[in-house]
Amino acid sequence: MGDAESYGPLSGVTVIALEQAVSAPMCTRTLADFGARVIKIENPAGGDFARHYDDVVHGQAAHFVWVNRGKESVTLDLKSTAGVDILHRLLARADVLVSNLAPGATGRLGLAPAELATRHPHLIAVEIDGFGTGGPLSRKRAYDLLVQAEAGVCAVTGFPNAPAKPGPPVADVTTGLYAALTILAQLCERLRSGPGPGARIAVSLFDTMADVMGYHLTYARHAGVDQQPLGMSSPAVAPYGSYGTADGQTVVLGTTNDREWQRLAREILRRPDLADDDRFHGNPGRVRHRAELDAAIGEWCAQHELAEIQKTADAAGIGNSRYNLPSEVLDHPQLVERDRWRTIDTPAGPIPSLLPPAIVAGYTPPMGAVPGLGQHTDAVLAECGCGSAEIADLRAQGAIGPAYS
């Protein structure tokens, strides 16, 4: 197969993506980053609606360019018989199907689990939905914010009586990664056991968020109370939070055990009275008296500049960080000095893109281009045996989109 620089661990795996927004595109982008071929099926009338969320990236949407690098775009009208027929011809040659369409849409396309088992028994088919099958919410539309609210995530984010959504679309992203992990597990099974029947897999945003909420749900069940959100702090440990500095910055300081608390109190705050106070010897007591500790730490931080605070905290072995805005992370030295940015192509020209988080020795992620709508339609259909006359006929019927320019 050649060297690892050219061929990824998923080289030779073909993925058909019936996807939109973030969850499924994050799943398939992850697979593409490991060398899989991802063929993204899009509606000829505008494509993935995430293409049009905004136009800040040289006329393209920031969400779309983020999660769609390294894919091929094929336009198919899946409301037409000819479009569905082409889809099934593609699936016959693929290894994996990933979808996150509206509730019931895959069934209408003949892609329900029972139909796939009959028509494409080799496929690893993953359907991402909002709430899973069988419950009272199964047929509801589900977006990232809606699921986060339903699963209690917003209730533990922000401040008491002022719930908030976490900034990143954590329901979409984590569900996409769970889906990718499940696909990799199935591919490992094939490697171990050899070619065999495919798999029918369902992953829901709600189930994923319920799992992510594991600590909070466990606490609520056994303590009988709902923990309140604490902004930049944590209900689980104290002291742990953000504090203003003498030079107008914000430092984040955290302790995770009793030894760290003792170092913070004695070596940084120079407050042996706090270190010796029985109320603060254990984390449960520190959590109960969080306000008093935050006041002491805040008073000390307000008298020192950020650089001095961080130097002192590092010397004492206390975790710390600087509160940054997104615009300040773009040129963050931890990204720049480790060469984490690459340039990828888009229909509107090259843009910077971060490397995938996992660093695999000897493997360079492909960092493929973001596709234009329908850019690869003709080439992919030709691979399926469609001649130029058939492609022209499909285009005339409206089963595929216009020729890409």
Side-chain angles (χ1 to χ4, degrees), residues 40-189:
K40 182 182 181 78
I41 306 301
E42 299 192 71
N43 188 326
D48 182 341
F49 55 71
R51 285 184 178 271
H52 312 291
Y53 279 167
D54 56 58
D55 59 2
V56 300
V57 188
H58 310 313
Q60 306 164 109
H63 273 96
F64 189 83
V65 300
W66 167 43
V67 290
N68 283 287
R69 67 170 179 245
K71 303 179 185 181
E72 301 170 48
S73 172
V74 171
T75 51
L76 289 180
D77 179 3
L78 296 181
K79 293 182 180 179
S80 71
T81 301
V84 173
D85 178 66
I86 292 293
L87 172 63
H88 283 283
R89 288 164 70 174
L90 292 172
L91 292 174
R93 300 162 56 91
D95 302 286
V96 178
L97 167 65
V98 177
S99 64
N100 71 328
L101 304 181
T106 51
R108 292 191 293 272
L109 295 173
L111 301 177
E115 294 169 297
L116 282 174
T118 299
R119 190 164 184 178
H120 304 293
H122 66 292
L123 269 182
I124 298 171
V126 177
E127 183 167 6
I128 297 173
D129 66 9
F131 294 102
T133 59
L137 304 184
S138 293
R139 306 297 296 179
K140 289 177 69 70
R141 284 188 175 273
Y143 307 129
D144 181 87
L145 171 59
L146 304 180
V147 172
Q148 289 197 47
E150 194 76 40
V153 178
C154 297
V156 298
T157 308
F159 295 90
N161 301 314
K165 172 193 174 297
V170 294
D172 283 335
V173 171
T174 53
T175 303
L177 295 176
Y178 264 93
L181 177 63
T182 306
I183 290 167
L184 295 175
Q186 293 297 320
L187 291 171
C188 286
E189 169 63 17

Side-chain angles (χ1 to χ4, degrees), residues 253-292:
L253 295 172
T255 61
T256 59
N257 57 60
D258 297 339
R259 295 184 303 279
E260 289 182 357
W261 156 245
Q262 288 292 318
R263 295 200 301 273
L264 173 62
R266 296 181 188 279
E267 299 177 30
I268 297 180
L269 302 181
R270 305 295 181 180
R271 291 286 303 273
D273 58 311
L274 295 179
D276 294 335
D277 194 317
D278 289 342
R279 294 175 299 168
F280 308 139
H281 278 179
N283 185 64
R286 294 195 295 275
V287 168
R288 285 193 295 271
H289 299 282
R290 179 192 309 275
E292 184 174 341

Side-chain angles (χ1 to χ4, degrees), residues 148-237:
Q148 289 197 47
E150 194 76 40
V153 178
C154 297
V156 298
T157 308
F159 295 90
N161 301 314
K165 172 193 174 297
V170 294
D172 283 335
V173 171
T174 53
T175 303
L177 295 176
Y178 264 93
L181 177 63
T182 306
I183 290 167
L184 295 175
Q186 293 297 320
L187 291 171
C188 286
E189 169 63 17
R190 288 189 174 181
L191 184 65
R192 183 172 65 90
S193 304
R200 311 292 168 254
I201 300 160
V203 185
S204 79
L205 276 70
F206 183 77
D207 290 345
T208 300
M209 283 296 92
D211 188 47
V212 170
M213 284 286 291
Y215 161 72
H216 295 89
L217 298 181
T218 301
Y219 192 98
R221 179 182 296 278
H222 295 281
V225 298
D226 292 312
Q227 290 182 319
Q228 296 300 299
L230 297 170
M232 286 283 287
S233 189
S234 166
V237 293

Side-chain angles (χ1 to χ4, degrees), residues 225-394:
V225 298
D226 292 312
Q227 290 182 319
Q228 296 300 299
L230 297 170
M232 286 283 287
S233 189
S234 166
V237 293
Y240 194 90
S242 60
Y243 310 92
T245 69
D247 53 344
Q249 302 289 323
T250 299
V251 67
V252 181
L253 295 172
T255 61
T256 59
N257 57 60
D258 297 339
R259 295 184 303 279
E260 289 182 357
W261 156 245
Q262 288 292 318
R263 295 200 301 273
L264 173 62
R266 296 181 188 279
E267 299 177 30
I268 297 180
L269 302 181
R270 305 295 181 180
R271 291 286 303 273
D273 58 311
L274 295 179
D276 294 335
D277 194 317
D278 289 342
R279 294 175 299 168
F280 308 139
H281 278 179
N283 185 64
R286 294 195 295 275
V287 168
R288 285 193 295 271
H289 299 282
R290 179 192 309 275
E292 184 174 341
L293 297 182
D294 281 343
I297 298 170
E299 181 181 0
W300 183 85
C301 288
Q303 300 171 14
H304 300 81
E305 294 187 352
L306 174 69
E308 180 188 357
I309 294 171
Q310 292 198 277
K311 181 179 179 180
T312 303
D314 285 340
I318 299 300
N320 64 90
S321 67
R322 178 180 186 266
Y323 168 83
N324 287 312
L325 299 175
S327 56
E328 294 171 314
V329 179
L330 295 175
D331 296 318
H332 196 295
Q334 194 67 13
L335 296 176
V336 173
E337 293 183 21
R338 295 167 60 245
D339 194 25
R340 295 294 297 162
W341 288 102
R342 292 293 182 273
T343 298
I344 64 172
D345 290 326
T346 79
I351 64 169
S353 184
L354 279 170
L355 284 164
I359 300 172
V360 182
Y363 174 62
T364 301
M367 303 297 286
V370 176
L373 178 60
Q375 180 176 350
H376 305 90
T377 302
D378 290 34
V380 171
L381 265 58
E383 291 180 37
C384 291
C386 294
S388 56
E390 183 179 3
I391 292 174
D393 183 54
L394 290 167

